[in-house]
C-alpha cells in the first residue's frame, strides 16, 4: 500500500466531545482523511474509559512512589508511537502530533523528547508554569502536569524548544488564564 502521513492526536479531557464531532463528520476530520492522514489517538489513564481512578488520586499515588502520572502518560505515548511507526503503511518520517489542552501539552512534550515527531501543533495548552505560579494561577491545571524539580533546571518553553528546528505551532488565547 501507499505510505501515508500519520498524526498522533492527544485530545485531553475534551476527548469525548472531539470524538463525537469527528463521528458526526466534522470538517477537519474529513480534511485530514482526504489529505491521507492516518490517525492514532490513545486514551490516557484517568480519562474516558480509563477513568477507573481520579487524576488526583493516581497522581498522588505515583508521587508517593517516586513517579509521576505525566511520566506514565508520556511512556504510553512513546509506546503508541513505536507501534505506529512500525506499521508498514505509515511513513515514519512524516509523523506529527496534535493536541488540545492536556493533549496539547503531551504533543509538545512528545516532540521535545522524541525526534520521530516531525511537527507539532498544540492548542489551548502552552503554559509558562513559572509565570502561572507567580500569578497563583497554576492550580487550575491538572495534577498530571506535575514534573517535580523541572523549574530548577528549565522553563516549559525551554522544554518545548528541544523540538527545534522541527515545525511547531502553539495556539493560545491571550485572555486564557491557563496559558
Amino acid at each position: 500500500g501507499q505510505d501515508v502521513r500519520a498524526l498522533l492526536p492527544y485530545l485531553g479531557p475534551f476527548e469525548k466531545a472531539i470524538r463525537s464531532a469527528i463521528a458526526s463528520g466534522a470538517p477537519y476530520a474529513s480534511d485530514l482523511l482526504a489529505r491521507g492522514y492516518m490517525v492514532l489517538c490513545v486514551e490516557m489513564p484517568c480519562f474516558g474509559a480509563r477513568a477507573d481512578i481520579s487524576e488526583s488520586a493516581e497522581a498522588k499515588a505515583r508521587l508517593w512512589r517516586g513517579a509521576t502520572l505525566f511520566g506514565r502518560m508520556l511512556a504510553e505515548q512513546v509506546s503508541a508511537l513505536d507501534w505506529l511507526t512500525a506499521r508498514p503503511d505509515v511513513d515514519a518520517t512524516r509523523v506529527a502530533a496534535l493536541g488540545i489542552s492536556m493533549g496539547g501539552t503531551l504533543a509538545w512534550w512528545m516532540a521535545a523528547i522524541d525526534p520521530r515527531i516531525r511537527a507539532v501543533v498544540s492548542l489551548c495548552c502552552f503554559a509558562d508554569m513559572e509565570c502561572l505560579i507567580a500569578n497563583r494561577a497554576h492550580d487550575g491545571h491538572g495534577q498530571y502536569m506535575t514534573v517535580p524539580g523541572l523549574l530548577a533546571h528549565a522553563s516549559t518553553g525551554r522544554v518545548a524548544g528541544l523540538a527545534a528546528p522541527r515545525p511547531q505551532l502553539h495556539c493560545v488565547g491571550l485572555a486564557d488564564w491557563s496559558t
Side-chain angles (χ1 to χ4, degrees):
Q2 178 185 3
D3 284 343
V4 295
R5 295 167 281 193
L7 181 68
L8 287 174
Y10 307 113
L11 302 178
F14 305 107
E15 182 166 355
K16 185 175 181 181
I18 294 169
R19 283 186 189 272
S20 174
I22 290 171
S24 67
Y28 58 83
S30 30
D31 288 346
L32 289 171
L33 292 172
R35 287 176 170 81
Y37 286 92
M38 176 178 286
V39 177
L40 173 64
C41 182
V42 179
E43 194 157 63
M44 291 288 84
C46 309
F47 295 92
R50 297 181 69 192
D52 57 337
I53 186 171
S54 74
E55 174 189 357
S56 175
E58 179 69 9
K60 289 174 184 175
R62 289 185 164 275
L63 286 171
W64 277 106
R65 294 183 177 118
T68 65
L69 177 54
F70 197 51
R72 176 179 174 191
M73 290 175 166
L74 287 170
E76 290 186 16
Q77 296 300 330
V78 170
S79 292
L81 184 59
D82 291 343
W83 178 83
L84 182 69
T85 57
R87 292 179 52 97
D89 57 343
V90 170
D91 181 346
T93 67
R94 298 172 67 190
V95 176
L98 162 72
I100 183 170
S101 191
M102 176 181 77
T105 302
L106 286 164
W108 61 261
W109 270 85
M110 280 295 293
I113 67 171
D114 198 317
R116 294 177 296 174
I117 301 292
R118 304 303 290 240
V120 62
V121 177
S122 65
L123 309 169
C124 306
C125 72
F126 196 72
D128 180 328
M129 293 311 294
E130 191 68 65
C131 183
L132 288 179
I133 291 168
N135 290 304
R136 297 184 178 182
H138 62 288
D139 198 34
H141 282 278
Q143 292 188 22
Y144 80 89
M145 255 177 102
T146 305
V147 181
L150 174 67
L151 297 179
H153 304 284
S155 67
T156 47
R158 280 184 152 293
V159 173
L162 294 172
R166 290 169 282 148
Q168 298 183 60
L169 174 63
H170 301 281
C171 300
V172 297
L174 295 177
D176 182 354
W177 66 267
S178 67
T179 58

